Amino acid sequence: AQKITQTQPGMFVQEKEAVTLDCTYDTSDPSYGLFWYKQPSSGEMIFLIYQGSYDQQNATEGRYSLNFQKARKSANLVISASQLGDSAMYFCAMREFMEYGNKLVFGAGTILRVKS
Amino acid sequence: NAGVTQTPKFQVLKTGQSMTLQCAQDMNHEYMSWYRQDPGMGLRLIHYSVGAGITDQGEVPNGYNVSRSTTEDFPLRLLSAAPSQTSVYFCASRLDRGNTEAFFGQGTRLTVV
Protein backbone atom coordinates (compact mmCIF):
# COMPACT_ATOMS: atom_id res chain seq x y z
CA ALA A 1 0.00 0.00 0.00
CA GLN A 2 1.27 3.43 -0.87
CA LYS A 3 2.32 5.34 2.18
CA ILE A 4 2.28 8.82 0.66
CA THR A 5 -0.17 9.79 -2.04
CA GLN A 6 0.03 12.94 -4.09
CA THR A 7 -2.95 12.83 -6.41
CA GLN A 8 -2.09 15.87 -8.52
CA PRO A 9 0.59 15.08 -11.11
CA GLY A 10 0.57 18.71 -12.26
CA MET A 11 -0.92 22.02 -11.19
CA PHE A 12 -1.12 25.49 -12.68
CA VAL A 13 -1.55 28.66 -10.64
CA GLN A 14 -1.66 32.31 -11.57
CA GLU A 15 1.10 34.46 -10.18
CA LYS A 16 0.18 36.07 -6.82
CA GLU A 17 -2.61 33.56 -6.16
CA ALA A 18 -2.56 30.86 -3.50
CA VAL A 19 -2.30 27.17 -4.36
CA THR A 20 -2.82 23.97 -2.37
CA LEU A 21 -0.85 20.83 -3.11
CA ASP A 22 -2.49 17.69 -1.76
CA CYS A 23 -0.84 14.96 0.27
CA THR A 24 -2.39 12.04 2.10
CA TYR A 25 -0.46 9.50 4.10
CA ASP A 26 -0.91 6.14 5.70
CA THR A 27 0.71 5.01 8.92
CA SER A 28 -0.18 3.15 12.08
CA ASP A 29 2.67 4.72 14.04
CA PRO A 30 1.38 7.40 16.45
CA SER A 31 4.66 9.31 16.15
CA TYR A 32 5.63 10.50 12.70
CA GLY A 33 6.83 13.53 10.85
CA LEU A 34 5.67 15.02 7.59
CA PHE A 35 7.90 17.04 5.28
CA TRP A 36 7.60 18.98 2.08
CA TYR A 37 10.50 19.40 -0.31
CA LYS A 38 10.83 21.51 -3.43
CA GLN A 39 12.84 20.35 -6.41
CA PRO A 40 13.43 23.06 -9.01
CA SER A 41 14.58 22.26 -12.53
CA SER A 42 18.19 22.47 -11.35
CA GLY A 43 17.56 19.24 -9.44
CA GLU A 44 18.43 19.95 -5.83
CA MET A 45 16.05 19.03 -3.02
CA ILE A 46 15.09 22.00 -0.86
CA PHE A 47 13.41 21.52 2.51
CA LEU A 48 10.31 23.68 2.91
CA ILE A 49 8.35 22.77 5.99
CA TYR A 50 7.88 20.13 8.68
CA GLN A 51 4.88 19.00 10.75
CA GLY A 52 5.12 16.63 13.67
CA SER A 53 2.25 14.30 14.45
CA TYR A 54 1.91 15.72 17.95
CA ASP A 55 2.13 19.36 16.93
CA GLN A 56 -1.04 21.16 17.91
CA GLN A 57 -0.73 23.95 15.41
CA ASN A 58 -0.24 23.87 11.66
CA ALA A 59 3.33 24.59 10.63
CA THR A 60 4.13 27.81 8.78
CA GLU A 61 7.32 29.01 7.12
CA GLY A 62 6.98 32.33 5.36
CA ARG A 63 4.66 31.83 2.38
CA TYR A 64 4.38 28.11 3.06
CA SER A 65 1.90 26.59 5.45
CA LEU A 66 0.91 23.01 6.07
CA ASN A 67 -2.77 22.22 6.45
CA PHE A 68 -2.54 19.24 8.78
CA GLN A 69 -5.73 17.23 9.26
CA LYS A 70 -4.71 14.30 11.37
CA ALA A 71 -8.03 12.44 11.39
CA ARG A 72 -8.12 12.56 7.59
CA LYS A 73 -4.40 11.77 7.34
CA SER A 74 -3.76 14.69 5.09
CA ALA A 75 -0.90 17.19 5.07
CA ASN A 76 -1.55 19.64 2.27
CA LEU A 77 0.96 22.34 1.39
CA VAL A 78 -0.42 25.82 0.88
CA ILE A 79 1.70 28.35 -0.98
CA SER A 80 0.40 31.89 -0.69
CA ALA A 81 1.09 34.68 -3.19
CA SER A 82 2.69 32.39 -5.77
CA GLN A 83 5.82 33.59 -7.53
CA LEU A 84 7.35 32.50 -10.82
CA GLY A 85 10.22 31.00 -8.86
CA ASP A 86 7.79 28.61 -7.18
CA SER A 87 7.57 26.61 -10.42
CA ALA A 88 9.07 23.26 -9.46
CA MET A 89 8.33 19.69 -8.45
CA TYR A 90 7.03 19.36 -4.88
CA PHE A 91 7.39 16.23 -2.83
CA CYS A 92 5.52 15.26 0.30
CA ALA A 93 7.41 12.85 2.55
CA MET A 94 6.82 11.04 5.81
CA ARG A 95 9.39 9.86 8.29
CA GLU A 96 8.96 6.15 8.86
CA PHE A 97 10.78 4.55 11.77
CA MET A 98 12.68 1.32 11.26
CA GLU A 99 14.51 -0.93 13.67
CA TYR A 100 17.80 0.96 13.64
CA GLY A 101 16.88 4.21 12.08
CA ASN A 102 14.27 5.82 9.98
CA LYS A 103 13.72 6.80 6.41
CA LEU A 104 11.82 9.33 4.43
CA VAL A 105 9.04 7.84 2.33
CA PHE A 106 8.26 10.09 -0.60
CA GLY A 107 5.20 10.63 -2.71
CA ALA A 108 5.44 10.69 -6.49
CA GLY A 109 5.47 14.49 -6.55
CA THR A 110 3.39 17.32 -8.01
CA ILE A 111 4.72 19.61 -10.73
CA LEU A 112 3.65 23.19 -10.11
CA ARG A 113 3.73 25.78 -12.87
CA VAL A 114 3.17 29.43 -12.01
CA LYS A 115 1.79 31.52 -14.86
CA SER A 116 2.48 35.23 -15.26
CA ASN B 1 29.49 26.09 4.31
CA ALA B 2 29.49 23.02 2.03
CA GLY B 3 26.68 20.91 3.57
CA VAL B 4 26.34 17.67 1.60
CA THR B 5 28.65 17.28 -1.38
CA GLN B 6 28.14 14.65 -4.04
CA THR B 7 30.48 13.78 -6.87
CA PRO B 8 30.26 13.38 -9.78
CA LYS B 9 27.23 15.35 -10.98
CA PHE B 10 26.91 13.34 -14.18
CA GLN B 11 28.18 9.90 -15.17
CA VAL B 12 27.72 7.53 -18.08
CA LEU B 13 28.63 3.87 -17.56
CA LYS B 14 28.62 0.84 -19.75
CA THR B 15 26.71 -2.22 -18.59
CA GLY B 16 28.90 -4.28 -16.29
CA GLN B 17 31.19 -1.47 -15.22
CA SER B 18 31.58 -0.58 -11.57
CA MET B 19 31.88 2.82 -9.98
CA THR B 20 31.59 4.69 -6.71
CA LEU B 21 29.41 7.71 -6.07
CA GLN B 22 30.97 9.91 -3.43
CA CYS B 23 29.10 11.70 -0.65
CA ALA B 24 30.59 13.86 2.08
CA GLN B 25 29.03 16.07 4.73
CA ASP B 26 30.67 18.56 7.06
CA MET B 27 27.84 18.98 9.58
CA ASN B 28 28.84 16.11 11.89
CA HIS B 29 25.55 14.37 11.14
CA GLU B 30 25.03 10.83 12.40
CA TYR B 31 22.58 9.79 9.76
CA MET B 32 23.42 9.48 6.09
CA SER B 33 21.44 7.82 3.35
CA TRP B 34 21.29 7.21 -0.36
CA TYR B 35 18.13 7.58 -2.41
CA ARG B 36 17.40 7.08 -6.06
CA GLN B 37 14.85 9.14 -7.93
CA ASP B 38 12.95 7.70 -10.84
CA PRO B 39 10.13 9.37 -12.80
CA GLY B 40 6.73 9.01 -11.16
CA MET B 41 8.14 7.24 -8.11
CA GLY B 42 9.54 9.95 -5.88
CA LEU B 43 12.72 9.02 -4.02
CA ARG B 44 13.40 5.52 -2.72
CA LEU B 45 15.88 4.57 -0.05
CA ILE B 46 18.81 2.40 -1.17
CA HIS B 47 21.03 2.19 1.94
CA TYR B 48 21.46 4.19 5.08
CA SER B 49 23.89 4.58 7.95
CA VAL B 50 23.25 5.56 11.55
CA GLY B 51 26.89 6.24 12.31
CA ALA B 52 30.45 5.28 11.41
CA GLY B 53 30.70 1.52 10.94
CA ILE B 54 26.91 0.96 10.91
CA THR B 55 24.94 0.55 7.70
CA ASP B 56 21.71 -1.12 6.71
CA GLN B 57 19.59 -1.76 3.65
CA GLY B 58 16.73 0.37 2.48
CA GLU B 59 13.94 -0.66 0.15
CA VAL B 60 15.95 -1.02 -3.10
CA PRO B 61 19.46 -2.22 -2.06
CA ASN B 62 20.17 -4.81 -4.76
CA GLY B 63 23.18 -4.00 -6.91
CA TYR B 64 24.61 -1.45 -4.45
CA ASN B 65 27.11 -1.56 -1.62
CA VAL B 66 27.93 1.02 1.02
CA SER B 67 30.39 1.49 3.84
CA ARG B 68 30.85 4.20 6.47
CA SER B 69 34.38 4.33 7.78
CA THR B 70 34.12 7.97 8.90
CA THR B 71 31.31 10.25 10.05
CA GLU B 72 31.86 12.50 7.05
CA ASP B 73 31.84 10.06 4.12
CA PHE B 74 29.27 7.62 2.81
CA PRO B 75 30.18 6.27 -0.64
CA LEU B 76 27.77 4.24 -2.76
CA ARG B 77 29.26 1.50 -4.94
CA LEU B 78 27.65 0.04 -8.02
CA LEU B 79 29.14 -3.41 -8.39
CA SER B 80 28.14 -4.22 -11.98
CA ALA B 81 26.07 -1.47 -13.54
CA ALA B 82 22.81 -2.35 -15.26
CA PRO B 83 20.51 -0.17 -17.38
CA SER B 84 17.89 -0.44 -14.58
CA GLN B 85 20.26 1.60 -12.41
CA THR B 86 19.90 4.61 -14.69
CA SER B 87 18.56 7.18 -12.26
CA VAL B 88 19.30 10.30 -10.29
CA TYR B 89 21.00 9.51 -6.99
CA PHE B 90 20.76 11.68 -3.90
CA CYS B 91 22.79 11.50 -0.77
CA ALA B 92 21.20 12.96 2.35
CA SER B 93 22.27 13.53 5.92
CA ARG B 94 20.58 14.61 9.09
CA LEU B 95 21.55 15.14 12.67
CA ASP B 96 19.85 12.24 14.44
CA ARG B 97 17.12 9.66 14.46
CA GLY B 98 14.37 12.13 15.30
CA ASN B 99 12.25 14.19 13.03
CA THR B 100 15.01 16.49 11.93
CA GLU B 101 15.42 18.00 8.52
CA ALA B 102 17.33 16.00 5.95
CA PHE B 103 19.90 17.90 3.91
CA PHE B 104 20.37 16.66 0.38
CA GLY B 105 23.31 16.76 -1.96
CA GLN B 106 22.98 18.15 -5.48
CA GLY B 107 22.35 14.73 -6.99
CA THR B 108 24.22 12.52 -9.45
CA ARG B 109 22.61 11.77 -12.79
CA LEU B 110 23.74 8.30 -13.81
CA THR B 111 23.10 6.73 -17.20
CA VAL B 112 23.96 3.09 -17.86
CA VAL B 113 24.11 2.15 -21.52
Side-chain angles (χ1 to χ4, degrees):
Chain A
Q2 197 164 4
K3 299 287 184 77
I4 295 284
T5 303
Q6 294 180 254
T7 57
Q8 308 150 314
M11 292 277 288
F12 284 97
V13 65
Q14 196 67 38
E15 194 178 9
K16 300 180 184 176
E17 292 185 350
V19 63
T20 298
L21 305 184
D22 294 341
C23 173
T24 58
Y25 60 92
D26 183 27
T27 182
S28 56
D29 192 335
S31 177
Y32 52 89
L34 296 158
F35 300 77
W36 277 92
Y37 284 86
K38 172 184 178 182
Q39 186 178 43
S41 58
S42 52
E44 70 268 34
M45 295 287 286
I46 302 168
F47 166 76
L48 294 178
I49 196 166
Y50 163 77
Q51 178 84 41
S53 58
Y54 294 119
D55 293 344
Q56 296 296 313
Q57 301 208 350
N58 287 344
T60 60
E61 290 284 350
R63 294 186 299 111
Y64 304 108
S65 60
L66 201 152
N67 184 1
F68 182 46
Q69 298 187 45
K70 195 170 182 177
R72 300 177 67 176
K73 294 189 174 180
S74 75
N76 299 339
L77 177 71
V78 180
I79 305 174
S80 63
S82 297
Q83 302 171 357
L84 295 178
D86 293 333
S87 293
M89 175 77 89
Y90 289 81
F91 289 101
C92 178
M94 179 175 67
R95 177 132 295 151
E96 182 176 77
F97 286 94
M98 302 181 292
E99 184 175 2
Y100 297 111
N102 57 65
K103 65 179 180 181
L104 286 175
V105 179
F106 286 83
T110 296
I111 298 175
L112 176 67
R113 290 288 176 253
V114 180
K115 300 183 291 184
S116 59
Chain B
N1 197 13
V4 180
T5 304
Q6 281 183 243
T7 55
K9 284 205 71 174
F10 301 95
Q11 183 71 49
V12 178
L13 287 179
K14 293 182 178 178
T15 298
Q17 285 184 318
S18 62
M19 80 158 293
T20 299
L21 307 185
Q22 300 292 343
C23 176
Q25 52 91 9
D26 61 359
M27 298 173 282
N28 204 30
H29 284 175
E30 287 183 36
Y31 271 63
M32 297 185 74
S33 47
W34 278 100
Y35 291 85
R36 58 177 288 173
Q37 181 180 17
D38 301 295
M41 303 187 74
L43 280 74
R44 293 179 294 167
L45 182 67
I46 305 171
H47 285 286
Y48 69 100
S49 169
V50 302
I54 308 170
T55 64
D56 203 354
Q57 296 181 350
E59 56 186 301
V60 288
N62 292 341
Y64 308 96
N65 270 0
V66 292
S67 60
R68 182 106 178 263
S69 55
T70 66
T71 300
E72 294 77 21
D73 300 299
F74 190 44
L76 177 73
R77 280 181 287 279
L78 280 71
L79 308 172
S80 177
S84 61
Q85 294 178 303
T86 293
S87 188
V88 180
Y89 292 84
F90 286 97
C91 178
S93 77
R94 65 182 184 278
L95 184 61
D96 56 30
R97 190 175 187 266
N99 280 315
T100 53
E101 175 191 344
F103 294 82
F104 285 83
Q106 295 279 72
T108 296
R109 185 173 295 275
L110 175 69
T111 303
V112 183
V113 298

